[in-house]
Amino acid sequence: MPKATNADDSDGSDGVQIDLISGERMENMATMEKIRMILDGVHDGNIVILEEGLSPDEESRLIEVTMSEISPDEFNGIEIETYPKSKANDSSLLGRIMGNDESTAKLTVIGPANQIETLHKDETLISALVSRD
Amino acid sequence: MGLFTELKDSISRVTDRLFSEQEPKRIGIYGPPNAGKTTLANRIARDWTGDAIGAESHIPHETRRARRKEDVQIERNGKSVTIDIVDTPGVTTKVDYEEFTDEMEHDDAIRRSREATEGVAEAMHWLREDVDGVIYVLDSAEDPITQVNTMLIGIIESRDLPVLIFANKIDLDDSSVKRIEDAFPQHKTIPLSAKEGDNMDEVYDNIAEYFG
Ligand SMILES: Nc1nc2c(ncn2[C@@H]2O[C@H](COP(=O)(O)OP(=O)(O)OP(=O)(O)O)[C@@H](O)[C@H]2O)c(=O)[nH]1
Ligand SMILES: [Mg+2]
């Protein structure tokens, strides 16, 4: 899997780098490490795909840190899409008390707001347009 | 209000506080930019306290600081509930100052976007630390299934905060309350027009019932 440090390789080329990050790799990371990894990738213009997504608390911190890094003409923030959790009941109180391993496992796509545009989204498909800049 | 009535009023509010079991609950008004949060907060505050909370505008990110109105006492069916209302900045994952440049000077647009980002961060912080319940306001003429709405409702649920969804702007032709009910079937949705004051009785009944 490409590391953030490989991002330099894509500079100068025409491609858009996509980082697919496994649930396993995220498992032992602290919240801020995950957020740093995501935002470092996005700052480099990459599309970051998380196999297992973030917990609600991590999402709330991701929004907060993203806001603190927005800067006119440089960084407009992020576009983020996740598959809806398999409907209704898995956000039950019991489910959450039992640990939210299951309920946070949702594929998540994150990219720079000025480069990624969601074209279509439904329960089984996310279609996005990625521009080089 | 005259000084005397004001004094009497605040004394009776203090005694109310002393004899009630708990502090008034802090109810955060959340939702995407431009949904009508401040219009709603102003209407509630005006109806029950006589004064407003903040400025409303068709330009998104008008509210860029969380604003609290304390001790809003709502009378319902002979009972009275007291809440603090917190009007928060609209939440988003992106802010582009160029969206404002049609409406204002370049420097003002940049300042607005900078304040907006601080405001969103502040709103997230309040949600994690400082609110006891949430009124989630949506513009019912817009598609409710957005990533921000899904994430925020998820964050609110994960904190086990009581939440009511307000389907605002039912006076608009494109309004669809059903679309909101279908998107968030796990929560109670109440239709209203904060601007026109439509269906406010049901709004207050529910606020009293949920947050009282
Ligand atoms: N038609 C209609 N317009 C409304 C209603 N409520 C609010 N508006 C309008 O929607 C716009 C946004 O209202 P605000 O109350 O400023 O929205 P907000 O959610 O506080 O927005 P931010 O502070 O920018 O996040 C204003 O032009 C309001 O007049 C409503 O019930 N019906
Ligand atoms: Mg506002």
Side-chain angles (χ1 to χ4, degrees):
Chain A
M1 196 188 63
K3 286 189 183 157
T5 49
N6 291 354
D8 289 342
D9 300 352
S10 64
D11 283 357
S13 81
D14 285 351
V16 172
Q17 181 175 327
I18 296 174
D19 293 343
L20 283 158
I21 299 168
S22 70
E24 200 186 356
R25 184 178 170 121
M26 301 265 289
E27 208 171 45
N28 296 314
M29 291 172 88
T31 299
M32 276 316 290
E33 289 174 309
K34 295 181 193 174
I35 289 172
R36 216 41 287 151
M37 176 184 66
I38 294 164
L39 289 178
D40 285 348
V42 171
H43 277 300
D44 285 335
N46 304 344
I47 306 300
V48 179
I49 301 178
L50 310 176
E51 184 186 29
E52 297 203 344
L54 298 169
S55 71
D57 191 65
E58 288 166 342
E59 287 179 340
S60 132
R61 283 166 204 277
L62 175 66
I63 295 174
E64 206 173 320
V65 179
T66 299
M67 287 299 124
S68 71
E69 297 187 0
I70 289 179
S71 145
D73 294 318
E74 278 169 38
F75 181 57
N76 290 345
I78 59 173
E79 198 69 68
I80 172 166
E81 285 292 353
T82 60
Y83 284 119
K85 292 177 203 169
S86 57
K87 282 279 161 71
N89 294 343
D90 68 0
S91 63
S92 70
L93 184 59
L94 189 65
R96 273 176 276 129
I97 289 169
M98 303 297 283
N100 39 11
D101 283 20
E102 278 253 283
S103 61
T104 65
K106 52 185 182 197
L107 192 76
T108 301
V109 182
I110 303 157
N114 62 344
Q115 261 168 274
I116 182 166
E117 186 191 339
T118 304
L119 297 178
H120 172 85
K121 186 186 169 195
D122 63 32
E123 264 149 63
T124 52
L125 172 78
I126 297 172
S127 175
L129 178 72
V130 181
S131 59
R132 279 185 209 107
D133 223 332
Chain B
M1 217 186 319
L3 182 62
F4 182 67
T5 43
E6 203 167 278
L7 196 67
K8 208 174 73 183
D9 214 56
S10 65
I11 290 171
S12 77
R13 239 181 280 151
V14 168
T15 48
D16 278 356
R17 276 276 196 98
L18 287 175
F19 293 108
S20 72
E21 286 139 47
Q22 67 216 74
E23 294 276 292
K25 297 221 173 71
R26 255 184 225 153
I27 308 305
I29 302 183
Y30 279 84
N34 224 38
K37 299 177 292 299
T38 304
T39 308
L40 171 71
N42 283 341
R43 181 167 288 280
I44 298 174
R46 278 203 200 96
D47 281 356
W48 301 102
T49 72
D51 35 43
I53 290 188
E56 308 160 10
S57 166
H58 69 284
I59 311 172
H61 300 294
E62 181 63 22
T63 308
R64 301 185 293 281
R65 282 270 167 275
R67 289 200 140 181
R68 177 149 62 115
K69 180 85 193 162
E70 285 178 273
D71 296 326
V72 177
Q73 203 172 330
I74 297 176
E75 313 281 345
R76 282 288 104 170
N77 308 318
K79 279 199 290 182
S80 129
V81 295
T82 306
I83 54 172
D84 288 0
I85 294 173
V86 187
D87 179 29
T88 70
V91 173
T92 178
T93 60
K94 57 187 176 192
V95 178
D96 183 354
Y97 78 90
E98 288 182 359
E99 276 173 39
F100 313 129
T101 49
D102 287 348
E103 308 267 1
M104 60 192 76
E105 297 291 320
H106 183 267
D107 287 356
D108 290 334
I110 288 192
R111 187 174 325 114
R112 190 182 185 89
S113 78
R114 185 158 291 142
E115 290 172 1
T117 61
E118 289 167 10
V120 175
E122 193 179 315
M124 297 314 295
H125 200 87
W126 274 82
L127 187 54
R128 283 202 308 270
E129 314 269 328
D130 296 314
V131 297
D132 305 310
V134 173
I135 292 172
Y136 199 81
V137 181
L138 289 166
D139 178 342
S140 60
E142 306 265 334
D143 183 0
I145 305 181
T146 67
Q147 189 58 33
V148 163
N149 293 336
T150 311
M151 276 196 297
L152 274 180
I153 297 284
I155 292 163
I156 292 160
E157 286 170 352
S158 76
R159 309 205 73 80
D160 282 325
L161 293 170
V163 58
L164 286 172
I165 297 187
F166 279 19
N168 191 32
K169 309 198 186 183
I170 53 168
D171 56 295
L172 296 178
D173 288 344
D174 293 341
S175 160
S176 166
V177 177
K178 185 168 186 302
R179 197 161 49 173
I180 295 177
E181 288 168 341
D182 291 348
F184 305 105
Q186 69 275 39
H187 299 295
K188 184 159 192 189
T189 296
I190 297 141
L192 77 152
S193 167
K195 190 171 153 194
E196 305 296 334
D198 296 340
N199 206 31
M200 293 308 290
D201 274 333
E202 196 186 344
V203 163
Y204 293 132
D205 284 345
N206 277 280
I207 290 178
E209 194 181 314
Y210 261 67
F211 305 124

